[in-house]
């Protein structure tokens, strides 16, 4: 079957995802028009087949993840999505069927989150499929939530449940550890889905923008990403590991193999929000999270000990040798 | 030698290139703050080793080209550069020396063109080096120069000289055709440099924004890119090929092998501006180009024949079978 050229491909599969700023994807550039008094938050994430996803993952899932991880960054920054651009680096042997599935997943994610395509580039490679998405959100000027605003005494909070993505990777991947067979079908499906389809916590974005003192998304593991936030804010934290929210599936896996608790705390692919809030702002933030239907759990408190994270489990101090999962 | 981790690497090589909107490259996102009444032009280009450049090109040249081709798009849109983000997808075996050279080239290009780094992502791949840059420029709201504003009677203009990049690729590449040896050393060096180091015509941006009716940059060959502009504007054009500006080096190459004229007109990697202007606006545009020291040459005129480009050479009609060089 003959494959379409770049322009046909764009018209057929990507133009339908384009917003007004995309100008029909027939020009050299797209446009962002922030409302008066707003500025643009810019985030970029690259994903490579065999590193960030499996080459034979469903193309729609790959697309959802590629956009989802960027939207997760926007959510953490308290930004409202405004659009994105895509660099699509296609390996030899791609098919139009694959591309149609990819575009359908991308369209779904873009529509569900109000984040239209405004531009892109498509090139070919002798290597693996590679995607780079740059996503744009808007915040009132000067109000992006940074990593650096946490102060001693503030609460440390996380959205959702932690560790699903890291365990989901094991469940979904080709070399399944023994514990996987001890989970029921629903738990396995839940974990694999959490790995494949990150859900950006955009429902929290406005509340974070108004009430959080610092925030970031958890992409490389809670322990490692908390270390980055502490460094940026010049503060420390005391974390009670028993309070870290775990899903039913992760709890079942830890029952089967207690060593998995460490994987849950340190593994990547959570795409939940890690944030801090003062005692005064916390009630409003918690109420907004409740309204949005997103679980938000206090797991500890900010201290003045710059860069030092103290973890305790059932009252006993606990250290981590390897803090963070690195995609790099 | 141990290679630095991602965070050290960013701090050492990329943070010095960061502008205020980059927030020191320690947060999840960068910021764009358009002045009141301005909007943001967004362009993205991906480059793959072995497709868009040679893997053993100097790393500083690769960096300059990656940013340069994006700045060329901004120039064509009449936009003033405001910043860029970089996805750096590193192959196995990269060295810190390589990276230092890359960052130095990137810093030079960013500084020379007033376009600071505001964010990025660094990942690894089993495939070739891949770069994706998203660049941002500002234009007064509603004033981006599109591809679609050309009207019958307008002049068709190009900046600089055409064909240097396409012939430069042959001069620079590993399989040099016979004509290369017939050029003098200065001509060979000029052409290779034009291929390796595109010069974005940002000096023309303000004048294009004020006086051009349509514009795009020429990246895939004059003939093919003109076809895209005609399609977007719903117009035609009559082009006198004898008036297409050629460098001394390209003229010498055509003397050695007359078939190279077609390569000059259709080959890629010009990164010059193709634009249209009304008779009324042309003098101001030409004067601004003169002031900027950029050659701007009229090569034909817009016609009402939608999508039809008529070429003539020394009074004789001329057609092109293969209109465009495709990177895809």
């Amino acid at each position: 079957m003959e494959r379409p050229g770049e322009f046909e491909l764009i018209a057929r599969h990507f133009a339908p995802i384009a917003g007004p700023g995309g100008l029909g994807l027939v020009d050299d550039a797209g446009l962002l028009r922030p409302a008066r008094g707003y500025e643009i938050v810019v985030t970029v994430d690259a994903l490579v087949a065999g590193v960030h996803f499996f080459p034979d993952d469903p193309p729609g899932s790959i697309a959802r993840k590629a956009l989802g991880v960027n939207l997760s960054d926007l959510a953490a920054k308290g930004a409202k999505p405004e659009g994105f651009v895509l660099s699509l680096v296609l390996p030899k042997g791609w098919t139009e069927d694959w591309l149609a599935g990819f575009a359908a997943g991308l369209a779904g994610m873009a529509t569900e989150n109000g984040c239209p395509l405004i531009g892109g580039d498509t090139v070919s490679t002798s290597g693996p499929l590679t995607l780079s998405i740059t996503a744009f959100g808007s915040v009132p000027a000067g109000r992006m939530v940074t990593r650096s605003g946490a102060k001693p005494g503030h609460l440390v909070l996380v959205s959702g449940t932690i560790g699903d993505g890291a365990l989901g990777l094991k469940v979904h991947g080709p070399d399944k550890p023994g514990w996987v067979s001890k989970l029921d079908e629903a738990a396995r499906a839940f974990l694999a889905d959490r790995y494949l389809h990150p859900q950006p916590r955009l429902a929290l974005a406005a509340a974070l923008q108004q009430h959080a003192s610092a925030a970031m998304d958890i992409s490389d593991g809670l322990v490692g990403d908390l270390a980055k936030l502490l460094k940026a804010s010049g503060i420390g934290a005391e974390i009670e590991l028993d309070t870290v929210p775990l899903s039913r599936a992760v709890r079942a896996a830890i029952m089967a193999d207690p060593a998995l608790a460490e994987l849950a705390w340190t593994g990547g692919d959570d795409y939940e929000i890690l944030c801090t809030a003062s005692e005064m702002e916390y009630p409003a933030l918690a109420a907004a999270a409740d309204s949005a239907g997103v679980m938000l759990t206090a797991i500890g408190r900010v201290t003045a000990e710059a860069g030092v994270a103290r973890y305790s489990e059932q009252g006993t101090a606990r250290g981590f040798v390897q803090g963070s999962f690195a995609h790099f």
Side-chain angles (χ1 to χ4, degrees), chain A:
Chain A
M1 191 183 77
E2 210 181 331
R3 298 188 303 195
E6 183 176 8
F7 303 99
E8 218 178 309
L9 178 160
I10 291 167
R12 201 177 292 170
H13 298 291
F14 293 110
I17 316 173
L23 308 173
L25 306 184
V26 298
D27 215 295
D28 310 80
L31 276 172
L32 286 168
R33 301 169 170 125
R36 187 185 289 188
Y38 282 73
E39 54 194 12
I40 299 289
V41 174
V42 182
T43 179
V44 54
D45 271 300
L47 291 84
V48 179
V51 181
H52 303 87
F53 57 88
F54 294 94
D56 55 358
D57 281 345
S61 297
I62 294 170
R64 282 186 167 272
K65 184 162 198 167
L67 183 51
V69 303
N70 277 283
L71 293 173
S72 177
D73 280 318
L74 292 183
K77 302 292 100 182
K80 177 177 169 292
E82 298 287 351
F84 72 102
V85 297
L86 166 70
S87 275
L88 178 59
V89 183
L90 288 168
K92 296 188 190 316
W94 64 273
T95 64
E96 195 172 2
D97 267 2
W98 185 93
L99 203 79
F102 180 86
L106 199 65
M109 200 70 181
T111 307
E112 290 156 25
N113 294 285
C115 193
L117 184 64
I118 65 164
D121 193 17
T122 308
V123 297
S124 61
T125 181
S126 58
L129 171 68
T130 302
L131 305 161
S132 175
I133 285 182
T134 306
F136 310 103
S138 59
V139 286
R143 298 300 305 272
M144 183 180 97
V145 186
T146 67
R147 291 183 182 179
S148 56
K151 297 272 184 296
H154 289 191
L155 291 164
V156 178
L157 306 150
V158 295
S159 69
T161 52
I162 297 300
D164 302 327
L167 272 66
L169 167 58
K170 305 283 186 191
V171 170
H172 175 66
D175 303 315
K176 300 191 204 310
W179 58 263
V180 172
S181 64
K182 297 186 185 149
L183 299 182
D184 61 36
E185 181 56 35
R188 288 201 298 267
F190 169 83
L191 292 174
D193 183 68
R194 288 277 284 162
Y195 169 74
L196 278 170
H197 302 124
Q199 294 300 323
R201 299 299 186 189
L202 286 163
L204 283 184
L208 291 169
Q209 190 260 301
Q210 288 168 58
H211 305 295
S213 53
M216 63 185 295
D217 82 326
I218 311 175
S219 52
D220 295 337
L222 172 62
V223 170
D225 283 341
L226 176 64
K228 293 173 205 163
L229 191 142
L230 298 187
K231 196 174 171 194
S233 281
I235 44 98
E238 280 170 359
I239 304 297
E240 284 179 51
L241 289 167
D242 313 284
T243 63
V244 172
L246 302 177
S247 63
R248 188 191 68 89
V250 165
R251 278 182 278 123
I254 291 173
M255 290 280 281
D257 179 352
L260 290 172
E262 177 149 344
L263 179 60
W265 298 325
T266 61
D269 286 302
D270 284 307
Y271 300 106
E272 293 292 350
I273 305 287
L274 171 66
C275 66
T276 59
S278 67
E279 289 276 3
M280 202 159 86
E281 295 291 341
Y282 173 66
L285 181 56
D290 283 349
S291 304
V294 179
M295 197 164 79
L296 191 67
T297 308
I299 61 168
R301 203 172 277 275
V302 176
T303 68
E305 251 185 317
V308 179
R310 299 192 183 277
Y311 291 91
S312 63
E313 192 186 3
Q314 294 169 337
T316 308
R318 162 127 198 183
F320 291 96
V321 179
Q322 195 186 344
S324 171
F325 175 75
H327 282 127
F328 174 69

